[in-house]
Amino acid sequence: MMARLSVWRSPVTVPLSWIGELTTGVRCSSSMPIVRPAYSDSSSIIRSFSEIPGLWKNGMANLYHFWKLDGFRNLHHIMVQNFNTFGPIYREKIGHYESVNIINPEDAAILFKAEGHYPKRLKVEAWTLYRDYRNRKYGVLLKNGEDWRSNRLILNKEVICPKVLGNFVPLLEEVGQDFVARVHKKIKQSGQNKWTTDLSQELFKYALESVSSVLYGERLGLMLDYIDPDAQHFIDCITLMFKTTSPMLFIPPALLRKIGAKVWQDHVEAWDGIFHQADHCIYNIYRELRKESGTPKKYPGVLASLLMLDKLSIEDIKASITELMAGGVDTTSITLLWTLYELARHPKLQDELRAEVAAARAESQGDMQEMLKRIPLVKGALKETLRLHPVAVSLQRYIAEDIIIQNYHIPAGTLVQLGLYAMGRDPKVFSRPEQYQPSRWLRTETHYFRSLGFGFGPRQCLGRRIAEAEMQIFLIHMLENFRVEKQRHVEVKSTFELILLPEKPILLTLKPLHGSR
Ligand code: 2DC
C-alpha cells in the first residue's frame, strides 16, 4: 500500500484519465432534477444548484480518487486543476465534505456579503472533538453564534485593535534584535563569515518567542542556545497537530477514534502537548497577577490585560489564548521562510527593500512604530508572499442567505469556499501571477478582494495584527543586517498539511552586510 501511495506522491496535475471521468460524470445529468428557469435583472437564465458542474454525487468514490491522487497532501493542486476543468465555480463532495468552490474576487465579495451576523467557517471536527473528549472549552476560533460574537468583540479590543499595536511593537522589536544577534553569533561560529541552513527551526522559535511575549508580556528565552525542552516539544506538537488534522477533514474523526486509528491517537497526543505548555504559561501569569497589586508599570501582555478586564470567564480566556499561541507559530514562521526564499531569488528587489528600510529608519529616528508606517514595499512583499504561498488553501463560509454566483443559485446554508491558493495564481486575477512583484500592491490597479491572506470581515484572523507586526519587524531587522542568498535555482512547491508548507527544506545562506563583527 505504501509503494502505491508513493507513486502518487508528487503529481501536480491530475492524470488525464481522471479528468475524463470527471467530465463524463458531469455530463451524465440524466438523474438531475428538472429545474424551472428563473430570470435575473440582466435577463440571463439563472441555473439551479444541481446544475453546478463538478463531482458531488458519490462522496465515497470521490474520496477514493482523492486518496489515490494523494489529495491529502495535494489539495491545493487539485483545486487549481478543478478550476481548470470546470471553470470559475464547481461543486464537490469528498467523503462527507461538501462544498461549492469559487475563484473570482468579485464572487468572493458576494460570498462575504452573505456571511450574516454570525459568520461560520468549516468546522474542523478533529479540533472540536478533541475539546469535547478532554472536556475543554472552545476558543473564539471554534465558537459560533452569540457565544462567538460576544467573545470576539472583547478579544478584538485587546488583540487586533490598532490602539494596542503600540504595546506589541517594543516587545516584538526586542525579539527581532535577539534573533539578529543569534544569527551573527552563528555566522561567527561557522568561521566562514556566512551561515547556510534550513532556517525553519530558528523561525519557529522566533515566532513562538514573539507571540508569547505579546500574550504573556514575558520572554520564554528561545533565542538562546539551550532552550526549555517543553517549548521545543510544544513546537513539535503543533506541527504534528496540523499534519494529523488534514486526513480528518475527509474521514470523520469520531469514526477514527472508534476504531482506534493512529492519526486520532497522534492528534490527541499533539493537542495534549500543546495544552500542557499553554496551561503552564497561563498559570504562571495568573499566579503572578494574584500576588501583585495595583496597576502594572509596563504593558503586561494580552493575557493579563484580559484577566484584569474581567469580562470573559477564565476558561474562555484560556481557550482563546491557547488558540492564539498554537496558531501563531507555524503560520508566521513559514510565511517568513517563503519571504526570505523569494528575496534570495530576487537580489535586486532585496536591495530595493533594504533601501526603503534604511530611509524609513532615518526618517523616524529609529522609532519602530513610526518606521512601520514608512515601509509600503516591505508590506507589499508580505502580501506577495501570501498570494503565492498562502497559509490557508481556501476561505469558507456557510452562507446565511441565498446568493447567485456565476448565474448559479446557491441556497442558504451551503458551504462556499474561495480557493485562495488558486486565486493567487490565476492570470485572470493577477497579471503575470508567476512573478514575485511586491510593487503590484503599490500600484493603483484594483486590490478589491485580492488581499485575503488573513481572511475577511469580523471572522478574519484574530492574530492578524500580531502576525503582521511580528513579520514586518523581522524583515526590517534581517534586511538591515544580512544579505540572503540561495544555492541553485530550484523551485520549491507546497504541500498541504492543513496549512500549506514547503514540500522540502529550503536552504538559505545569510551573510553579514557590514563585514564580520
Ligand atoms: C484547511 O479544507 C483546508 O489560521 C480545509 O492559526 C478548510 C480549512 C478550514 C479552516 C482553516 C484551515 C483550512 C487552514 C488552517 C486555518 C483554518 C482556520 C484557522 C487556521 C486557516 C483552510 C489557522 C492556521 C489558525 C490555527 C489555530 C489553531 C491551531 C488553534
Side-chain angles (χ1 to χ4, degrees):
M1 184 139 4
M2 277 320 288
R4 230 173 64 215
L5 258 175
S6 61
V7 173
W8 290 96
R9 179 164 287 202
S10 56
V12 175
T13 47
V14 175
L16 279 173
S17 59
W18 193 45
I19 303 295
E21 213 171 310
L22 289 176
T23 28
T24 36
V26 177
R27 287 196 194 110
C28 277
S29 54
S30 54
S31 62
M32 280 183 183
I34 298 160
V35 282
R36 212 170 349 107
Y39 294 88
S40 75
D41 296 341
S42 56
S43 84
S44 57
I45 298 173
I46 294 172
R47 285 166 291 179
S48 77
F49 189 51
S50 56
E51 285 176 286
I52 301 176
L55 271 186
W56 46 271
K57 291 208 170 146
N58 192 338
M60 285 306 144
N62 298 339
L63 178 62
Y64 175 73
H65 287 298
F66 186 74
W67 171 75
K68 281 211 351 186
L69 291 170
D70 201 11
F72 294 144
R73 285 197 200 80
N74 277 316
L75 184 63
H76 51 309
H77 295 134
I78 291 180
M79 283 182 88
V80 169
Q81 196 57 60
N82 282 337
F83 285 116
N84 286 337
T85 308
F86 298 121
I89 184 167
Y90 68 89
R91 230 178 121 177
E92 177 177 66
K93 184 170 180 183
I94 304 172
H96 296 276
Y97 190 159
E98 261 195 278
S99 62
V100 168
N101 295 271
I102 59 173
I103 190 171
N104 289 331
E106 288 69 26
D107 296 339
I110 299 174
L111 167 62
F112 288 121
K113 282 170 188 166
E115 66 177 7
H117 284 303
Y118 304 113
K120 217 178 130 199
R121 72 160 76 80
L122 176 84
K123 175 168 157 188
V124 181
E125 269 179 76
W127 298 355
T128 52
L129 188 68
Y130 170 83
R131 282 149 182 81
D132 299 345
Y133 176 58
R134 288 286 193 235
N135 223 336
R136 291 204 173 250
K137 284 206 100 173
Y138 297 176
V140 80
L141 180 81
L142 302 175
K143 283 181 191 293
N144 280 314
E146 193 45 51
D147 191 23
W148 164 77
R149 202 177 162 79
S150 55
N151 273 254
R152 175 82 199 211
L153 287 175
I154 294 162
L155 287 166
N156 278 348
K157 290 209 195 78
E158 301 301 322
V159 184
I160 199 171
C161 164
K163 258 205 321 229
V164 292
L165 194 65
N167 297 325
F168 302 163
V169 170
L171 294 165
L172 295 169
E173 194 179 0
E174 201 186 282
V175 184
Q177 281 162 354
D178 289 357
F179 187 85
V180 165
R182 180 167 169 81
V183 175
H184 276 306
K185 194 172 145 194
K186 291 282 185 186
I187 290 174
K188 209 163 170 195
Q189 280 173 357
S190 79
Q192 299 177 300
N193 205 29
K194 64 180 184 192
W195 186 32
T196 300
T197 188
D198 168 10
L199 273 174
S200 48
Q201 278 303 320
E202 295 298 328
L203 292 172
F204 284 154
K205 289 190 275 177
Y206 170 78
L208 179 55
E209 185 77 34
S210 294
V211 75
S212 302
S213 81
V214 167
L215 294 177
Y216 306 119
E218 266 176 17
R219 295 291 300 268
L220 295 183
L222 302 180
M223 300 289 94
L224 305 170
D225 283 334
Y226 176 80
I227 69 159
D228 179 5
D230 282 351
Q232 184 59 56
H233 183 63
F234 178 82
I235 290 172
D236 298 338
C237 283
I238 296 174
T239 308
L240 180 64
M241 179 276 292
F242 279 130
K243 196 190 174 79
T244 50
T245 305
S246 52
M248 292 192 274
L249 288 175
F250 308 98
I251 304 164
L255 177 78
L256 292 166
R257 179 181 146 188
K258 206 177 282 167
I259 63 173
K262 185 161 181 333
V263 262
W264 169 251
Q265 286 168 5
D266 288 349
H267 193 69
V268 168
E269 216 179 285
W271 275 122
D272 282 348
I274 293 168
F275 274 97
H276 172 80
Q277 179 68 1
D279 283 348
H280 179 75
C281 294
I282 294 168
Y283 180 69
N284 279 342
I285 299 299
Y286 182 70
R287 204 185 40 195
E288 280 170 33
L289 209 63
R290 299 196 69 176
K291 275 194 304 204
E292 282 163 29
S293 51
T295 40
K297 281 155 238 81
K298 65 173 186 38
Y299 177 68
V302 173
L303 171 61
S305 302
L306 285 168
L307 289 169
M308 291 186 293
L309 194 65
D310 201 25
K311 283 192 182 163
L312 291 176
S313 74
I314 293 180
E315 291 310 309
D316 274 341
I317 294 175
K318 279 171 73 174
S320 285
I321 291 286
T322 304
E323 286 176 358
L324 281 165
M325 191 180 172
V329 179
D330 298 33
T331 49
T332 52
S333 56
I334 295 299
T335 307
L336 288 174
L337 185 60
W338 282 123
T339 307
L340 293 178
Y341 162 83
E342 293 291 356
L343 296 189
R345 299 210 304 171
H346 302 88
K348 256 182 67 189
L349 169 70
Q350 197 181 132
D351 288 334
E352 276 173 57
L353 289 164
R354 197 168 281 124
E356 183 187 73
V357 169
R361 170 81 67 191
E363 281 170 36
S364 42
Q365 275 107 38
D367 178 335
M368 185 54 73
Q369 232 193 317
E370 282 301 313
M371 264 186 100
L372 296 182
K373 295 177 194 157
R374 293 179 165 85
I375 48 164
L377 199 62
V378 171
K379 292 178 182 174
L382 285 167
K383 285 187 186 171
E384 196 64 347
T385 301
L386 288 171
R387 175 180 71 80
L388 284 168
H389 314 283
V391 170
V393 62
S394 68
L395 305 176
Q396 6 38 61
R397 292 291 185 269
Y398 289 94
I399 49 174
E401 51 192 272
D402 288 27
I403 53 176
I404 292 164
I405 290 186
Q406 299 285 333
N407 264 321
Y408 289 101
H409 172 234
I410 307 171
T414 305
L415 179 69
V416 182
Q417 308 195 121
L418 169 73
L420 196 61
Y421 176 90
M423 181 182 90
R425 288 163 183 259
D426 184 349
K428 293 193 261 346
V429 180
F430 295 99
S431 57
R432 298 180 173 273
E434 71 291 348
Q435 293 186 4
Y436 187 81
Q437 273 178 24
S439 63
R440 74 168 83 231
W441 298 100
L442 308 181
R443 286 188 229 118
T444 46
E445 66 185 75
T446 178
H447 302 144
Y448 186 66
F449 280 91
R450 278 161 176 78
S451 172
L452 293 173
F454 293 94
F456 167 85
R459 189 109 219 193
Q460 71 181 276
C461 176
L462 178 61
R464 177 179 195 154
R465 298 280 171 247
I466 303 175
E468 285 174 340
E470 170 190 322
M471 295 193 293
Q472 290 159 10
I473 289 170
F474 176 91
L475 290 177
I476 287 174
H477 283 106
M478 291 303 279
L479 286 162
E480 285 181 324
N481 284 277
F482 310 105
R483 190 179 305 287
V484 193
E485 293 173 6
K486 68 189 277 299
Q487 259 88 354
R488 276 165 292 112
H489 186 89
V490 274
E491 209 187 293
V492 180
K493 298 211 173 71
S494 299
T495 181
F496 174 76
E497 290 188 3
L498 198 81
I499 57 173
L500 292 171
L501 301 174
E503 69 169 353
K504 59 180 181 215
I506 295 177
L507 280 187
L508 296 172
T509 301
L510 299 175
K511 293 183 178 168
L513 279 173
H514 315 288
S516 54
R517 293 200 172 179

